[in-house]
Amino acid sequence: LTMCMTVLLLLTCVLTVSAENFDSGKTGSISVTLTEQYDKDPIVGAELSVYYVATAILDADGNLIYDYTEDFKQFDTAIDDTSLATKLDAFVSQHSVPSTKMTTNTEGTALCNELPLGLYFVKQTGAVEGFAPCTPFLVTVPNVKNGEYVYEVNASPKTDVVKLTSITIKKVWNTDES
C-alpha cells in the first residue's frame, strides 16, 4: 500500500527533475525482490506478471505525463485514482491483457529488461507452495531518485507474504461412561 501511494504521488505531483535528464529513447528495467516477511529468506520460484499500462512522455512544461497503452484504452479509470492498483488487478483478471513473465531466482529477485518508459502493474501470478502471494503494485519507469531519473528500478514491496502453516487436529471421543 505504501509503495502504491508513493507511485501515485509521483504520478500526481509536478516533478522537479530537470527535463534535460530525461531520455525518451532509453529503455528501463524492473527488478523485484520477494522475501519472507519475518526472517527475510528469499522466496524462490514466484512468477510475476508485468503489465505495460501507460506510456510516459514529457509535456511542454517538462513534466512526466502518462497515457494508457492500447491494451488499457478501455480501462475506464483515471490514472491518478488512488485505487488504481486494485482496479487494474480486477481488469487484468477479467480481460486477456498481454504481460511479460518473470520468476524469482535463488536470491528472491526477478528481472524484466528492455522495457519502454511508462507505468507498469506487477502481479504475482504463480504461487510458491507454503506462501501467500504478494500484493499487486505499480511501478514507474523511469522513477525519480535524488532529483534524477532512474531507468533501472528496484522494487522490494512490503508484501503480505507469510509462510502458510498446516495444522492437523485429531478428535478423540470419550466413550467412558463412568
Side-chain angles (χ1 to χ4, degrees), residues 32-104:
V32 179
T33 302
L34 296 179
T35 58
E36 197 276 330
Q37 187 173 6
Y38 300 107
D39 60 13
K40 303 298 182 201
D41 287 337
I43 298 174
V44 180
E47 181 186 83
L48 301 163
S49 292
V50 179
Y51 298 90
Y52 183 36
V53 176
T55 60
I57 59 170
L58 283 182
D59 67 9
D61 297 324
N63 301 312
L64 272 178
I65 58 171
Y66 297 89
D67 186 34
Y68 283 121
T69 62
E70 273 307 309
D71 295 317
F72 289 91
K73 288 288 185 195
Q74 62 181 332
F75 182 63
D76 192 26
T77 302
I79 215 150
D80 61 351
D81 187 312
T82 57
S83 60
L84 184 62
T86 302
K87 291 177 180 179
L88 282 167
D89 190 18
F91 183 82
V92 299
S93 295
Q94 297 169 358
H95 296 83
S96 179
V97 181
S99 66
T100 301
K101 307 281 187 203
M102 57 184 184
T103 304
T104 57

Side-chain angles (χ1 to χ4, degrees), residues 91-170:
F91 183 82
V92 299
S93 295
Q94 297 169 358
H95 296 83
S96 179
V97 181
S99 66
T100 301
K101 307 281 187 203
M102 57 184 184
T103 304
T104 57
N105 61 18
T106 57
E107 283 102 36
T109 301
L111 179 64
C112 195
N113 287 312
E114 300 299 317
L115 297 173
L117 306 183
L119 173 67
Y120 290 86
F121 175 66
V122 181
K123 176 180 180 172
Q124 185 174 344
T125 50
V128 174
E129 187 176 335
F131 292 93
C134 70
T135 303
F137 59 95
L138 298 167
V139 178
T140 58
V141 177
N143 211 319
V144 178
K145 186 174 182 178
N146 299 325
E148 296 288 328
Y149 288 109
V150 177
Y151 296 86
E152 290 77 36
V153 180
N154 298 310
S156 295
K158 291 184 180 179
T159 64
D160 295 330
V161 177
V162 178
K163 183 125 174 112
L164 301 176
T165 306
S166 96
I167 300 173
T168 303
I169 299 174
K170 182 177 180 183

